[in-house]
């Protein structure tokens, strides 16, 4: 079993964004931090994934896995507390049906309609992002810059449409908020005079820096956005939700296909190809994410976050039981399947 293994294995983490669904990633990270033989070298994160990464790295910068676990838990508790008086809560029908979506919540329906018709610039922007105070209170950004973890946070340049990857000495609260900036809700976050939106449009997360700038050959992708769904969306809400998932998965799938192609290149003189060929990719995900609707990404009820946390821990435990011995030896994710024609 992987838990009995004590020889250190260096790994990188790739953390997707997805609003409150990032609590699933929190659970995965909490479980991985229990395994002292897993040494985290680098983390690439977007949106909620970027925030999880920064909080975790801050704890490890203090040299303590337990501190990293504590900070992650405190971050999500504060997120839930900040939303305590939010109107975005499940309605009676959703509660009765045991659903975590906000599809029948009047405030969410109104917000969803308003976001499609009225620009946040017309409204003068929302009255500040409550995440800013949480991030500034929990993360020592100076300590982060000097810490042992290589960080790569993606935000999308509004003017060019290209992703920008911020490294650990560039990361600030603004960078994290930019990585999670949904343009229908918030005005673009300006950094050095450049406006940025959510990094999910250009890299969710960005894999290339992990390949080019880290020594580890094992990358764990924590995936919270479903790539496939069995049913065809038919309602307007289902269609919009699926379009969102496809859009936010497209950059990642493009990079993974490139990785699969580079692995097939047989050219010992091509240094770039050798880097991609050496990468061993693994994935941690859960079927439960397929069951969740798009609106649940703004559900910050503590019961919901706790459920996702436990689901994340369970998924990580399952991965370690099934593929823990693959780490440092072989990849456990089938990349070649991405090149097969549909």
């Amino acid at each position: 079993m992987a838990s009995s293994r004590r020889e250190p294995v260096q790994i990188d983490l790739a953390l997707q964004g997805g609003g409150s669904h990032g609590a699933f990633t929190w659970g995965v990270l909490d479980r991985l931090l229990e395994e002292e033989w897993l040494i985290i070298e680098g983390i690439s994160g977007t949106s909620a994934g970027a925030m999880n990464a920064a909080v975790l790295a801050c704890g490890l910068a203090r040299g303590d896995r337990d501190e990293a676990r504590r900070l992650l838990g405190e971050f999500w508790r504060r997120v839930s507390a900040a939303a305590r008086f939010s109107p975005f809560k499940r309605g009676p029908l959703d509660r009765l049906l045991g659903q975590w979506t906000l599809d029948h919540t009047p405030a969410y329906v109104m917000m969803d309609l308003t976001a499609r018709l009225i620009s946040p610039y017309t409204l003068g922007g929302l009255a500040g992002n409550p995440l800013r105070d949480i991030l500034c209170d929990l993360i020592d950004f100076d300590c982060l810059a000097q810490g042992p973890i290589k960080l790569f946070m993606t935000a999308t340049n509004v003017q060019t449409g290209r992703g920008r990857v911020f490294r650990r000495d560039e990361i600030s609260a603004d960078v994290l908020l930019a990585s999670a900036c949904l343009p229908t809700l918030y005005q673009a976050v300006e950094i050095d005079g450049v406006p940025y939106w959510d990094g999910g449009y250009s890299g969710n997360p960005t894999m290339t820096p992990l390949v080019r700038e880290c020594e580890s050959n094992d990358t764990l992708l924590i995936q919270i956005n479903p790539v496939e769904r069995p049913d065809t969306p038919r309602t307007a809400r289902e269609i919009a939700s699926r379009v969102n998932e496809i859009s936010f998965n497209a950059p990642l799938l493009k990079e993974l296909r490139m990785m699969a192609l580079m692995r097939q290149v047989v050219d010992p003189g091509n240094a770039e190809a050798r880097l991609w060929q050496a990468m061993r990719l693994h994935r941690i995900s859960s079927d439960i994410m397929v069951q969740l609707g798009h609106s649940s990404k703004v559900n910050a009820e503590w019961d919901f976050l706790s459920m996702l946390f436990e689901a994340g821990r369970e998924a990580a435990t399952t991965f370690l039981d099934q593929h823990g011995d693959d780490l440092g030896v072989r990849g456990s994710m089938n990349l070649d399947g991405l090149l097969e024609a549909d």
Side-chain angles (χ1 to χ4, degrees):
M1 293 179 59
S3 60
S4 65
R5 181 175 180 172
R6 290 296 179 265
E7 184 177 346
V9 174
Q10 200 170 47
I11 63 170
D12 297 324
L13 300 174
L15 311 182
Q16 279 198 317
S20 61
H21 291 185
F24 173 84
T25 301
W26 163 36
V28 172
L29 298 176
D30 186 81
R31 178 65 184 87
L32 294 180
L33 285 168
E34 292 179 347
E35 303 292 333
E36 295 189 2
W37 58 279
L38 293 176
I39 310 300
I40 302 172
E41 180 190 6
I43 310 176
S44 178
T46 297
S47 193
M51 296 183 188
N52 274 323
V55 174
L56 180 150
C58 184
L60 291 182
R62 299 171 182 172
D64 193 330
R65 290 171 178 259
D66 289 337
E67 175 65 4
R69 296 176 65 194
R70 185 193 71 80
L71 281 179
L72 281 167
E74 182 65 16
F75 171 75
W76 286 100
R77 276 188 288 272
R78 294 197 187 191
V79 167
S80 182
R84 186 175 304 161
F85 301 107
S86 167
F88 302 134
K89 290 184 172 63
R90 286 180 298 162
L93 180 59
D94 289 320
R95 292 179 181 274
L96 181 64
L97 296 175
Q99 298 176 341
W100 294 107
T101 65
L102 305 181
D103 292 347
H104 302 99
T105 301
Y108 176 80
V109 174
M110 181 62 68
M111 183 272 290
D112 190 38
L113 290 173
T114 300
R116 298 171 190 271
L117 299 172
I118 302 176
S119 162
Y121 289 87
T122 301
L123 298 175
L126 299 183
N129 192 324
L131 288 174
R132 179 181 295 278
D133 290 340
I134 297 173
L135 294 170
C136 290
D137 193 31
L138 290 181
I139 300 175
D140 182 341
F141 291 100
D142 291 333
C143 183
L144 200 67
Q146 303 300 322
I149 308 298
K150 298 176 182 178
L151 295 173
F152 310 98
M153 311 303 195
T154 302
T156 302
N157 185 316
V158 177
Q159 297 168 335
T160 66
R162 297 176 59 184
R164 174 178 171 183
V165 177
F166 294 86
R167 283 144 179 89
R168 59 186 171 190
D169 59 342
E170 302 173 302
I171 294 172
S172 63
D174 280 339
V175 168
L176 297 177
L177 294 176
S179 183
C181 179
L182 292 174
T184 56
L185 296 181
Y186 297 100
Q187 295 182 10
V189 177
E190 289 199 3
I191 300 173
D192 297 329
V194 179
Y196 291 95
W197 281 341
D198 195 298
Y201 296 112
S202 53
N204 193 20
T206 303
M207 304 291 288
T208 304
L210 297 177
V211 177
R212 292 177 173 171
E213 301 181 37
C214 293
E215 296 181 4
S216 168
N217 289 326
D218 287 85
T219 295
L220 274 65
L221 169 64
I222 317 302
Q223 195 160 19
I224 60 178
N225 285 318
V227 173
E228 298 181 0
R229 284 190 179 273
D231 302 320
T232 301
R234 299 189 181 279
T235 68
R237 183 172 288 112
E238 289 173 346
I239 292 170
S241 175
R242 187 57 182 148
V243 168
N244 176 275
E245 287 177 346
I246 292 173
S247 299
F248 275 65
N249 276 325
L252 171 64
L253 291 175
K254 182 178 179 180
E255 277 197 288
L256 293 181
R257 289 190 183 100
M258 180 183 70
M259 182 183 296
L261 284 170
M262 295 295 285
R263 286 163 60 90
Q264 293 184 359
V265 174
V266 182
D267 181 2
N270 189 322
E272 181 76 6
R274 288 201 306 273
L275 288 175
W276 289 95
Q277 288 172 340
M279 176 60 67
R280 295 183 289 265
L281 192 64
H282 314 270
R283 175 169 55 191
I284 300 178
S285 60
S286 173
D287 291 340
I288 197 171
M289 308 311 292
V290 181
Q291 303 169 21
L292 299 176
H294 176 70
S295 64
S296 64
K297 290 184 177 181
V298 297
N299 182 354
E301 295 176 53
W302 181 246
D303 287 346
F304 180 50
L305 301 184
S306 298
M307 183 276 292
L308 290 172
F309 169 77
E310 294 299 337
R313 282 189 55 87
E314 181 179 351
T317 297
T318 299
F319 170 80
L320 289 170
D321 288 343
Q322 296 179 351
H323 299 293
D325 289 335
D326 291 330
L327 292 170
V329 179
R330 65 185 69 85
S332 59
M333 182 177 175
N334 179 22
L335 282 175
D336 292 336
L338 295 172
L339 299 177
E340 298 175 359
D342 294 330

